[in-house]
Amino acid sequence: MAPAQAPPPLRRVSPAGPHRARVYRLARLNTLSAKGWRRTAIMAGGGDRKGNWTAENPLIAGGCSDSGDDEQVMDGPPKIPERDFAGTPYVPVYVMLPLGVINMECEVVDPEGLMKQLKILKSVNVDGVMIDCWWGIVEAHAPQEYNWNGYKQLFQMVRELKLKLQVVMSFHESGGNIGDDVYIPLPHWVTEIGRSNPDIYFTDQEGSRNQECLSWGIDKERVLRGRTAVEVYFDYMRSFRVEFNEFFEDGIIAEIEVGLGPCGELRYPSYPAKYGWRYPGIGEFQCYDQYLLKSLRKAAEARGHSSWARGPDNAGSYNSRPHETGFFRDGGDYDSYYGRFFLGWYSQVLVDHADRVLSLANFAFEGISISAKISGIHWWYKTASHAAELAAGFYNPCNRDGYAPIAAMLKKHDAALNFTCVELRTLDQHEDFPEALADPEGLVWQVLNAAWDVCIPVASENALPCYDRDGYNKILENAKPLNDPDGRHLSAFTYLRLSSVLLERHNFLEFERFVKRMHGEAVLDLHL
């Protein structure tokens, strides 16, 4: 790879049209040494979809600056000409609320403090806020006993300020991932079932159970006290729809994002940090619970090859590299007859799960916009197999488009695509991981075009905390591509996340300026 010099030109990425975040996921992504700072983030897998930044250059700590070298930063870098976004399409801006805004008793933790912060957001014309409605809080103790009290109080606060709501149906746990500052497990009655029947959880080849969310193998199995997993999700969504009918009628709830897997994302939990995964490991297939194995056996028998009713035995482990495995290496078994069968089945289980849940979500939330979040697994994208994507359920090797079937399924349900790595840039060198062969820009281009090809809206969020002008300008360029012949742009943008740091005077002034430009308003301090 080329020696570290200046960052390569940003390749044109044409985003289109909602939240949260996110997985642009990278564990410890080190940027160019010429920048004089280091990003340390586990971006691949956070209930909070984000990472932490460790600034080696204290002059730019707390930002995501694209400044030049150390000397330039210290002297004050020259102003880069900014694009004038006045008159461009209006892209709504939402702000994610803190993960712990509602406690385990379903109470607003600090209503007075939160109201003050919401008023500050309202003062700069933010369109609304995003909130997780945690399954582990609302239905914590017994089946179909729902406690929505804290959410009712919170939603009323939002309505008083005439803000909108993006609401996430969060059927996963929070905790154990970078950015998770609270622990919210699955409902207690569910984990009780899991103690006697651990096959309700995703399972890896070593037999480790992942309790972040339920295996899709029980979507249609009556193992949750007489209900299937899909019925449990539907009952929860239907209860929410009934309890908050007035907020739907008033138009306060603008969108429902439906949780479909770990971190709320449609993917297998193939790279769990709590089980030892570290970037840029390829991860592991998660199909070894008895229910998914039964599905695999049926598929193999239907194919006429019962010996194929197994997971690959040469796919390495969580922290393997593709070339170290017989399955993912160039010319490996991933492209054999068996490999294509297995990956086809594995990825179809993912699509079928989303298809079932979104179908019921549309029934529960008839007439309301729904969305699904797809994680941006961009490491090993420049290899033939795209190993990390395959392990996560995206059948996207270099000779196959793995995102078109997902986009077509979303189109079937009129669901928007929330893709989580649109603000990342492919760097010419990763200091610590040049071997990762990551290409977020290439992945973004592919996924967004898959969505545009079927005419569904696309939305996004920032992957990491961002407070500086350079970071905001990068988001703006992706939100509203220059000279796009079709005028495509994001349908919404959700900022990660409300915090005391965001509300510091200098940071908030920059954020206000960013909101105006996302709304297509003129600002007076363009450096043209």
Side-chain angles (χ1 to χ4, degrees):
M1 303 184 74
Q5 298 170 350
L10 177 60
R11 197 171 64 199
R12 174 58 53 200
V13 177
S14 302
H19 145 317
R20 238 168 154 267
R22 290 138 8 152
V23 207
Y24 16 55
R25 315 302 184 170
L26 244 183
R28 297 180 62 227
L29 168 60
N30 291 339
T31 59
L32 299 175
S33 58
K35 292 181 179 293
W37 56 287
R38 175 166 297 178
R39 303 174 182 180
T40 302
I42 294 183
M43 302 173 62
D48 202 24
R49 299 179 280 268
K50 45 239 73 3
N52 297 325
W53 291 66
T54 302
E56 292 183 343
N57 185 340
L59 292 173
I60 55 174
C64 48
S65 172
D66 280 340
S67 305
D69 57 30
D70 290 352
E71 184 175 349
Q72 286 178 311
V73 172
M74 294 173 67
D75 293 341
K79 297 295 184 183
I80 299 174
E82 290 187 283
R83 184 175 147 203
D84 186 0
F85 286 92
T88 57
Y90 185 105
V91 175
V93 177
Y94 292 78
V95 176
M96 299 180 203
L97 296 184
L99 284 174
V101 69
I102 303 288
N103 64 22
M104 289 301 297
E105 285 69 46
C106 203
E107 302 165 336
V108 179
V109 173
D110 178 16
E112 291 185 4
L114 179 60
M115 178 59 90
K116 290 178 182 178
Q117 292 181 325
L118 291 175
K119 287 179 179 178
I120 295 172
L121 294 179
K122 177 66 176 180
S123 73
V124 297
N125 295 318
V126 161
D127 295 86
V129 294
M130 172 174 274
I131 180 69
D132 288 278
C133 278
W134 295 99
W135 181 33
I137 292 177
V138 175
E139 197 180 357
H141 303 296
Q144 295 180 280
E145 291 185 7
Y146 307 105
N147 177 7
W148 299 105
N149 291 339
Y151 290 105
K152 288 181 180 178
Q153 182 182 0
L154 174 59
F155 288 14
Q156 181 59 37
M157 294 163 63
V158 172
R159 177 163 61 182
E160 288 177 13
L161 295 176
K162 295 181 169 57
L163 291 168
K164 300 282 189 180
L165 277 165
Q166 293 174 322
V167 183
V168 185
M169 299 286 102
S170 296
F171 297 114
H172 60 285
E173 76 168 19
S174 172
N177 291 300
I178 294 298
D180 291 353
D181 53 8
V182 297
Y183 175 61
I184 303 171
L186 297 185
H188 176 69
W189 64 271
V190 173
T191 58
E192 280 187 338
I193 295 171
R195 278 191 276 274
S196 59
N197 182 11
D199 285 286
I200 68 173
Y201 301 121
F202 283 108
T203 307
D204 64 20
Q205 60 187 339
E206 291 86 18
S208 297
R209 313 288 187 170
N210 189 317
Q211 298 183 27
E212 286 185 77
C213 61
L214 299 180
S215 167
W216 306 328
I218 65 167
D219 275 1
K220 297 188 288 185
E221 299 285 343
R222 297 192 176 278
V223 295
L224 300 177
R225 298 198 184 175
R227 290 187 295 166
T228 68
V230 168
E231 288 171 342
V232 169
Y233 304 145
F234 173 70
D235 289 342
Y236 181 89
M237 292 187 287
R238 181 173 56 182
S239 173
F240 178 87
R241 178 64 181 84
V242 171
E243 289 290 333
F244 295 96
N245 180 64
E246 60 183 304
F247 296 93
F248 285 100
E249 295 295 325
D250 292 348
I252 302 300
I253 297 176
E255 179 187 81
I256 300 293
E257 182 176 288
V258 183
L260 295 170
C263 304
E265 298 164 344
L266 178 59
R267 63 173 176 87
Y268 289 88
S270 58
Y271 47 94
K274 63 183 177 182
Y275 295 122
W277 174 87
R278 296 293 179 268
Y279 180 84
I282 58 178
E284 291 189 14
F285 293 113
Q286 305 288 316
C287 59
Y288 294 91
D289 63 81
Q290 63 164 310
Y291 303 104
L292 287 181
L293 286 176
K294 181 174 70 173
S295 170
L296 179 57
R297 280 196 301 274
K298 288 183 177 179
E301 290 166 1
R303 181 73 166 76
H305 298 282
S306 57
S307 62
W308 288 357
R310 57 179 176 82
D313 57 9
N314 60 348
S317 58
Y318 285 114
N319 293 313
S320 297
R321 292 357 186 200
H323 62 273
E324 299 170 345
T325 75
F327 192 79
F328 295 116
R329 64 175 174 80
D330 287 357
D333 289 345
Y334 79 92
D335 207 26
S336 67
Y337 289 108
Y338 158 74
R340 291 197 296 272
F341 158 78
F342 173 79
L343 292 170
W345 166 81
Y346 190 72
S347 61
Q348 191 61 48
V349 169
L350 175 146
V351 173
D352 288 346
H353 167 70
D355 188 29
R356 285 189 288 267
V357 177
L358 291 178
S359 177
L360 292 176
N362 262 330
F363 187 63
F365 302 118
E366 185 177 3
I368 303 299
S369 297
I370 64 172
S371 67
K373 184 170 59 175
I374 309 298
S375 55
I377 301 177
H378 49 75
W379 53 104
W380 306 115
Y381 188 85
K382 291 184 177 180
T383 64
S385 65
H386 293 221
E389 291 170 87
L390 298 187
F394 305 126
Y395 190 5
N396 191 53
C398 64
N399 59 353
R400 186 182 190 275
D401 184 354
Y403 298 97
I406 296 173
M409 178 273 300
L410 295 176
K411 174 69 173 181
K412 171 184 173 183
H413 300 293
D414 294 319
L417 169 67
N418 177 18
F419 195 56
T420 58
C421 74
V422 291
E423 97 276 8
L424 292 185
R425 178 164 60 187
T426 301
L427 306 174
D428 65 344
Q429 178 177 334
H430 294 165
E431 287 180 341
D432 282 358
F433 303 108
E435 78 278 15
L437 299 175
D439 185 9
E441 290 178 38
L443 176 60
V444 165
W445 184 249
Q446 179 186 359
V447 173
L448 295 185
N449 276 284
W452 291 333
D453 285 347
V454 295
C455 300
I456 60 175
V458 181
S460 184
E461 64 194 41
N462 54 306
L464 298 171
C466 186
Y467 308 105
D468 67 284
R469 188 163 300 185
D470 288 339
Y472 289 134
N473 283 345
K474 189 172 182 182
I475 293 169
L476 281 157
E477 292 292 341
N478 285 325
K480 305 178 185 186
L482 182 64
N483 298 327
D484 186 292
D486 301 305
R488 296 174 295 202
H489 55 85
L490 293 182
S491 63
F493 176 81
T494 304
Y495 177 85
L496 178 155
R497 152 183 321 272
L498 177 61
S499 68
S500 59
V501 178
L502 172 64
L503 299 181
E504 292 174 5
R505 176 173 171 77
H506 174 74
N507 291 338
F508 199 66
L509 287 173
E510 282 295 333
F511 178 72
E512 178 181 16
R513 184 179 187 273
F514 165 71
V515 172
K516 287 182 178 179
R517 303 179 80 199
M518 288 290 278
H519 288 170
E521 300 174 22
V523 295
L524 301 178
D525 59 342
L526 282 177
H527 303 290
L528 301 175

